[in-house]
Amino acid sequence: MSVERVEEVDGSAEQEAVTMAATASATVRYYAVAPGFRLNVRSGPSTTYHVVRVLSEGASVPIWCQTPGQSVAGPYGTSNIWDNIDDGQYVSDAYVHTGSDGYVASRCA
């Protein structure tokens, strides 16, 4: 997955969102994005969807649910699983260290 467009994300706003999400549900786990990568967050489960933001290096993401989509090769293998990290925001599971080649969360409805 390549970065076609880079948008800076204010770290404090991102941390505030993570804190609010953690408060809302203690059952959601957070996973690290592959080291050294700024990861595109897309509006759907494919690289053809618009980039809605870019995660900074060292980011961790919640996985609310997962869905099949475009197959992507990344540092954690090739996967067609896409992680829903917020309302209408998806990242390829091939860039998220879940410790599994399969689903680690429920399927998105």
Side-chain angles (χ1 to χ4, degrees):
M1 182 180 303
S2 64
V3 176
E4 299 163 0
R5 179 177 61 141
V6 175
E7 295 176 24
E8 291 298 322
V9 175
D10 177 52
S12 62
E14 187 174 332
Q15 183 58 40
E16 182 178 323
V18 167
T19 301
M20 289 186 335
T23 303
S25 175
T27 61
V28 173
R29 286 196 52 197
Y30 284 74
Y31 299 89
V33 171
F37 287 91
R38 296 181 62 194
L39 186 58
N40 286 334
V41 178
R42 300 206 176 253
S43 60
S46 169
T47 60
T48 61
Y49 285 89
H50 295 291
V51 174
V52 295
R53 65 183 171 129
V54 178
L55 298 175
S56 58
E57 289 184 36
S60 290
V61 295
I63 299 179
W64 296 99
C65 62
Q66 295 176 298
T67 191
Q70 175 188 15
S71 189
V72 172
Y76 299 118
T78 300
S79 178
N80 73 332
I81 298 172
W82 285 73
D83 305 328
N84 176 255
I85 64 168
D86 204 345
D87 188 31
Q89 297 185 19
Y90 297 85
V91 295
S92 170
D93 196 62
Y95 284 84
V96 179
H97 187 257
T98 63
S100 173
D101 288 337
Y103 288 86
V104 297
S106 61
R107 294 254 182 141
C108 299

